Structures are given as C-alpha cells and as structure tokens.
Amino acid sequence: MILPIYIYGQPVLRKVSQDISPDYPELKELITNMFETLDASEGIGLAAPQIGKAIRVVVIDLDVLSEDFPEYKGFRKAFINPHIVELDDTNTDSSEEGCLSLPGIHEKVVRPTRIHVTYQDENFQQYDEWIEGYLARVMQHEFDHLDAHMFIDRISPLRRQLIKNKLKALTNGKYHCSYRTKPVRRA
C-alpha cells in the first residue's frame, strides 16, 4: 500500500523516534508499504517519521542509481533501530540533497564520507559497520529523520534564510509533487 509522505511542518518530523522490538505489530507489512511508497515517490530513502510513525525504521533503495554506481546494483535494504555511533569527519563532502518531505527544496549539505553505524535487519540480526561513500550520505540523511532532524538543519543560517519563504509555503500546503502527501492541517 502506498502511504502518504508527511510534509515539512508535520510534528512527527520533529519528534525523536523510538527503537522497536521484534514483536512490533505488522512490521513486515510496514516495510513492504514503505518500499512501495518509496518506489511510487521515486526516492532512494524513506524514514518511518516521513509516513507518520516515530519509530526507528528506514528503507533505502540504491539499485535505482546502479547505472552510475554499479556497486549498488541490487541494494534494497531495511534498517531497524539504526544509530550512528561515530562520524569520521576526517573527510567530508558537499553534495546537493533533497527530501520527499521537502518537495522542491534542494541544498548543498556537507557530511562526513565515513560513518560507524549499528542497526538490525528485518530479522533483527545485529550489525555494527563502518560505511563509506554515497551510502554513508544517504544513511546520515535518513537516520537524521529518526533523531528529529532534516537536511535543512545542516545548511548555513544564510541559506536557511534564503529558503524561508519556500518552507513557509510547504507548511501552508502550497507545493506540487507527483506523489501522495499529508500536508500540515491549519486550523
């Protein structure tokens, strides 16, 4: 089932997500729905807060980029209870990011190129890994959602001021995108 993407201004996007246990109700179905929603919105990553759930679940599909990044051929994975343990800021990279919850907004964001993460897969098998390159960027972007952050929190105050009107338009429901959304409801 394709779920609506929560748009900037929705309170759940600024709420810290909670870890879940293996008995979380209908987790497999939720992950399937998240991948269907990701596919329908033509994104590469989706965090549970973006569909209105303050839980630590993320899906990432980098297979769609495999023409440019052959190392990601077949990469389609769910991450349960992910946490960034350490950021290795020896090397950083500045690259443009966008977000399904911020349609029409793209900004350059500086991030470390290597991170230490822990997470569980769909079967709750534990992983503890160092991740590098583009996947490290995507994980940082998506895992930020779980800690109540968005990529716009990582841009300069000047850039943030320059997009202020675009952000206000999003909270007022004035945006266009090709996927199903849940805008902020104004009283």
Side-chain angles (χ1 to χ4, degrees):
M1 174 191 331
I2 297 170
L3 305 168
I5 304 282
Y6 281 54
I7 298 298
Y8 176 81
Q10 286 281 2
V12 70
L13 295 173
R14 295 302 192 176
K15 184 176 180 183
V16 175
S17 297
Q18 300 300 308
D19 282 350
I20 62 170
S21 62
D23 62 352
Y24 186 85
E26 300 173 5
L27 179 59
K28 298 265 189 222
E29 182 181 350
L30 173 66
I31 291 169
T32 298
N33 291 343
M34 287 178 72
F35 273 120
E36 285 180 20
T37 302
L38 184 63
D39 293 343
S41 58
E42 298 181 0
I44 58 172
L46 183 67
Q50 293 179 276
I51 57 159
K53 297 190 177 296
I55 58 172
R56 297 190 79 85
V57 177
V58 166
V59 296
I60 296 176
D61 182 355
L62 295 184
D63 184 63
V64 296
L65 304 175
S66 62
E67 198 168 292
D68 295 325
F69 298 96
E71 65 270 29
Y72 296 128
K73 181 77 177 152
F75 189 99
R76 187 172 168 93
K77 194 169 182 178
F79 298 85
I80 312 296
N81 301 327
H83 293 273
I84 295 176
V85 177
E86 184 179 350
L87 298 168
D88 177 359
D89 55 8
T90 307
N91 292 308
T92 59
D93 176 54
S94 177
S95 191
E96 189 172 276
E97 293 187 19
C99 181
L100 296 173
S101 293
L102 293 156
I105 297 178
H106 297 85
E107 292 289 330
K108 283 205 177 261
V109 179
V110 176
R111 293 192 188 267
T113 58
R114 185 171 179 258
I115 60 173
H116 180 199
V117 297
T118 60
Y119 63 91
Q120 296 164 320
D121 64 17
E122 294 179 55
N123 300 312
F124 285 82
Q125 180 175 335
Q126 187 70 37
Y127 293 85
D128 186 327
E129 303 174 332
W130 280 94
I131 306 292
E132 297 185 34
Y134 191 70
L135 178 57
R137 173 174 292 278
V138 175
M139 284 180 154
Q140 288 172 79
H141 177 106
E142 297 306 330
F143 297 0
D144 268 357
H145 281 296
L146 305 178
D147 293 320
H149 300 296
M150 302 178 86
F151 82 87
I152 55 170
D153 301 335
R154 306 219 180 266
I155 61 177
S156 72
L158 175 61
R159 290 298 314 158
R160 181 102 183 207
Q161 185 63 33
L162 291 172
I163 64 168
K164 189 172 97 175
N165 287 339
K166 288 182 180 180
L167 294 172
K168 186 175 181 184
L170 290 176
T171 61
N172 289 327
K174 294 179 174 30
Y175 60 89
H176 298 286
C177 57
S178 61
Y179 47 88
R180 205 171 146 212
T181 64
K182 185 166 180 76
V184 177
R185 297 281 180 234
R186 293 287 175 209

